[in-house]
Amino acid sequence: MYLKEYRICMPLTVEEYRIGQLFMIAKHSHEQSQQGEGVEVVTNEPCEHPQYGKGQYTEKRIHLSSKLPAWIRSMIPQIFYITEKAWNYYPYTETEYTCSFIPRFTVNIATRYEDNNGSTENCLELTEEELNEREVDFIDIVSDPIDDYKYKEDEDLTKVKSKKTGRGPFTEKWRDDTTPVMCSYKVVRCCFEVWGLQTKAEGYAQKACRDVNLHGHRQAISWMDEWIDMSLDDIRSYEGKMQKETNEKVLQDMQGEETPVKDDENAKSTSV
């Protein structure tokens, strides 16, 4: 198993990010989806945990065959998806990724959000053994390079300034001199129990996780003026609209029957 902890700081409060993450996930999922590929929401309903209280459970199918490297595509059927199950007890979330075609592959992500710049050393209460195995990776949404084809000037946080909050543009040392600042602590556990491919597959999963979080969180900040004034009711309404449009986009021309979405009209949420 490959265990890694990502720390993603943002110029927000934890309460602001509660809205921002939902907006980012909904809009990002819609942007990245196309006919036959993207994020299909299957279930979206309330849940409850004895320790964390009430939350929201979502189940999604991520159709992405053409975006995988050739060595993985050679092992899988043409119609392929990964299942994402997420339990959101904000400010704590749990997410699990599995693949029915490859039963020995799992990715588990535990996330907690705190109002600091990534200074908590054991935010997710890892065991001593896990701490010894852990690799900590700070994802810098301002300075870390991204792929050229993903670059957009209006998402470049060294150039973007929020008109509504006055935040930005940000400098190289922004984490130490920006207020407010918060951190998303993510412990990612990748496991692929197939001899000969374990290291390669687990490394690919960790890289994919890092890339998605870097790109998505850059967008959350660059889109700040679109969501900063939204209430929780506003973002639920927006999420429901985008969920419907994205499902229609993904399921168009796909083979097989469409899967109905179980949904609670008063509570729409997901995780990062």
Side-chain angles (χ1 to χ4, degrees):
M1 181 178 71
Y2 188 176
L3 186 152
K4 197 167 182 178
E5 179 179 319
Y6 298 96
R7 299 183 188 178
I8 312 161
C9 292
M10 286 159 285
L12 303 169
T13 67
V14 169
E15 280 307 305
E16 287 174 334
Y17 184 63
R18 185 176 190 178
I19 304 296
Q21 68 153 341
L22 297 179
F23 183 91
M24 175 263 286
I25 290 170
K27 184 172 179 176
H28 180 83
S29 295
H30 188 264
E31 282 194 348
Q32 296 300 308
S33 298
Q34 56 190 330
Q35 288 186 14
E37 294 215 337
V39 181
E40 171 198 358
V41 180
V42 178
T43 305
N44 191 340
E45 62 189 14
C47 61
E48 192 163 352
H49 190 280
Q51 179 181 352
Y52 302 115
K54 294 182 178 180
Q56 193 76 8
Y57 168 74
T58 59
E59 182 175 334
K60 301 176 182 178
R61 291 176 179 175
I62 304 172
H63 304 267
L64 75 176
S65 299
S66 71
K67 297 181 181 180
L68 296 173
W71 64 272
I72 293 183
R73 291 202 304 271
S74 67
M75 300 166 53
I76 63 175
Q78 186 174 1
I79 300 175
F80 165 78
Y81 63 85
I82 289 173
T83 297
E84 176 197 278
K85 296 180 179 180
W87 297 262
N88 189 343
Y89 308 101
Y90 201 85
Y92 174 78
T93 67
E94 295 180 3
T95 310
E96 176 187 84
Y97 295 91
T98 57
C99 172
S100 59
F101 182 71
I102 312 175
R104 295 183 180 180
F105 169 76
T106 59
V107 177
N108 291 282
I109 304 175
T111 306
R112 192 182 300 278
Y113 310 102
E114 290 191 348
D115 283 311
N116 58 50
N117 67 349
S119 56
T120 303
E121 282 309 309
N122 192 10
C123 182
L124 286 150
E125 300 177 350
L126 301 181
T127 66
E128 197 66 36
E129 181 180 356
E130 289 174 325
L131 289 172
N132 290 332
E133 296 176 5
R134 176 188 66 174
E135 177 185 342
V136 177
D137 184 351
F138 279 88
I139 297 178
D140 191 327
I141 62 174
V142 174
S143 302
D144 282 0
I146 64 168
D147 294 329
D148 289 343
Y149 73 92
K150 290 182 179 179
Y151 178 83
K152 295 180 181 179
E153 189 171 359
D154 60 1
E155 294 175 4
D156 186 336
L157 301 185
T158 66
K159 300 178 180 180
V160 171
K161 181 173 183 176
S162 166
K163 293 180 181 178
K164 292 184 178 180
T165 67
R167 300 174 202 174
F170 300 95
T171 64
E172 186 175 334
K173 296 182 179 180
W174 73 274
R175 282 197 303 127
D176 298 320
D177 56 23
T178 299
T179 302
V181 66
M182 62 154 290
C183 185
S184 171
Y185 295 83
K186 291 181 177 293
V187 170
V188 181
R189 298 172 172 88
C190 295
C191 184
F192 186 56
E193 298 176 354
V194 176
W195 187 84
L197 291 173
Q198 181 176 1
T199 300
K200 196 171 187 177
E202 291 176 357
Y204 172 78
Q206 289 284 5
K207 182 182 185 304
C209 181
R210 190 187 202 284
D211 290 347
V212 166
N213 276 286
L214 173 59
H215 189 211
H217 287 84
R218 282 168 57 96
Q219 290 180 320
I221 303 305
S222 64
W223 295 337
M224 189 186 303
D225 285 349
E226 297 182 49
W227 59 260
I228 194 67
D229 293 330
M230 284 185 172
S231 66
L232 195 54
D233 286 341
D234 291 336
I235 196 64
R236 285 170 178 167
S237 176
Y238 174 82
E239 187 182 21
K241 174 178 176 292
M242 296 301 286
Q243 172 182 300
K244 181 176 182 296
E245 292 179 5
T246 303
N247 275 10
E248 290 173 352
K249 198 176 180 183
V250 173
L251 293 171
Q252 189 174 0
D253 293 340
M254 285 184 64
Q255 295 181 8
E257 297 182 357
E258 296 183 12
T259 305
V261 178
K262 293 165 58 182
D263 191 13
D264 179 83
E265 64 180 11
N266 294 317
K268 296 181 175 70
S269 178
T270 188
S271 65
V272 177

